[in-house]
Amino acid sequence: MRLDHVSYAVARDSFVSTVQWIGSALGAGFVDGGVHPRFGTRNFILPLSGGTYVEVVTTLDHPAADRAPFGQAVARRAAEGGGWLGWVVSVDDIAPVEARLGRTSAEGHRVRPDGFDLRWKQIGLLELLEDPQLPYFLQWLVPDEERPSADPRTSTAIQGISIAGDAASIAEFLGEPADHPLDQIDVTWVEDEEPGLVAVEFATAHGPVTI
C-alpha cells in the first residue's frame, strides 16, 4: 500500500491562512487544485518529494457538500476547529477493495486551473465518517504525469504519520501487516482522546517538521 496524500480540512474563513501557514512551515507554496463539483469542496495542494502531496480542503456553499460523504467529512472536521482529516492510500486497481467493502467506488473529478480534468475513483469515506482512524482508497484514472504528486515543488517529503487508533483494525481494513502498513512511510500508533490522523512528520531542508 502506498500513501497518496494527506488531507487537512478547515472552515472557509480559515482556508487561505491555513494554506499559507502550512506552506511556510514546509518551505514551499501551495498551488490551486480547483473545485470538486461532486463533493462540494475545493482544495490547494503541495506536491512533495517521494510521490505524495498535502491537500488543504474546505467546503463550498453548495448542496453537494451536504450530500457527498467527502463533503460531510470535511464539514465535520472544519466544525471541530479544523485539522488533519485523514490519510489516503493509492491502489492500482480498486476492484478488490470494492469487493472487500461490498459496494462500488465513487467517481471524482476536478478541473485544474490549466483546464485539465483530473479524474479518479475513491472508496472508504463512509468508513472514515464512522471511524476517523481509517484511510480511504483512491485509484487515479489519469496518466502518472498528470497526478497531483507528479511535479514536486519542494524537496520536503513525508517521513511518517502518527495515528490514534487500533493497529489491528487498520491492518485488517488495509489488508496489510500492522507493523508496516505503508510502503516507505513510517506509521506510529499513539494514544489520543479521539481516533484519527494526529500528526504528519516531514523531512525538510531545514530539519524535521511535525504538523
Side-chain angles (χ1 to χ4, degrees):
M1 291 284 174
R2 188 180 69 83
L3 182 68
D4 189 81
H5 66 278
V6 289
S7 292
Y8 196 100
V10 292
R12 288 191 289 273
D13 60 0
S14 303
F15 187 48
V16 173
S17 61
T18 301
V19 167
Q20 293 172 339
W21 162 59
I22 296 180
S24 176
L26 300 182
F30 280 67
V31 295
D32 187 356
V35 170
H36 309 114
R38 294 178 182 172
F39 306 145
T41 56
R42 67 165 300 187
N43 70 1
F44 270 69
I45 65 167
L46 176 54
L48 303 173
S49 178
T52 63
Y53 67 97
V54 179
E55 168 190 54
V56 177
V57 61
T58 192
T59 57
L60 301 169
D61 185 11
H62 191 280
D66 299 322
R67 295 193 305 264
F70 185 69
Q72 293 173 19
V74 172
R76 184 177 69 181
R77 191 70 182 96
E80 295 168 348
W84 290 115
L85 172 66
W87 49 300
V88 186
V89 173
S90 175
V91 295
D92 294 329
D93 182 7
I94 210 165
V97 183
E98 293 175 324
R100 192 164 74 246
L101 298 184
R103 64 179 188 277
T104 58
S105 56
E107 292 201 2
H109 83 104
R110 60 177 169 85
V111 179
R112 295 189 315 220
D114 65 2
F116 183 82
D117 191 7
L118 194 67
R119 293 186 172 273
W120 66 90
K121 292 181 179 180
Q122 66 185 46
I123 193 170
L125 264 301
L126 295 177
E127 286 75 13
L128 174 66
L129 283 167
E130 291 293 325
D131 190 354
Q133 68 177 321
L134 298 175
Y136 66 93
F137 301 89
L138 182 150
Q139 177 189 342
W140 290 106
L141 302 178
V142 296
D144 290 355
E145 62 269 19
E146 298 294 350
R147 297 180 185 183
S149 59
D151 187 19
R153 295 176 58 84
T154 173
S155 62
T156 294
I158 295 177
Q159 193 166 39
I161 60 176
S162 297
I163 300 170
D166 178 62
S169 297
I170 295 176
E172 181 180 359
F173 186 67
L174 285 173
E176 296 288 329
D179 61 347
H180 192 70
L182 291 174
D183 294 339
Q184 300 178 327
I185 300 290
D186 294 329
V187 178
T188 302
W189 312 102
V190 298
E191 295 290 334
D192 199 80
E193 293 181 359
E194 297 293 336
L197 178 60
V198 174
V200 180
E201 297 86 41
F202 300 89
T204 79
H206 305 290
V209 171
T210 299
I211 295 176

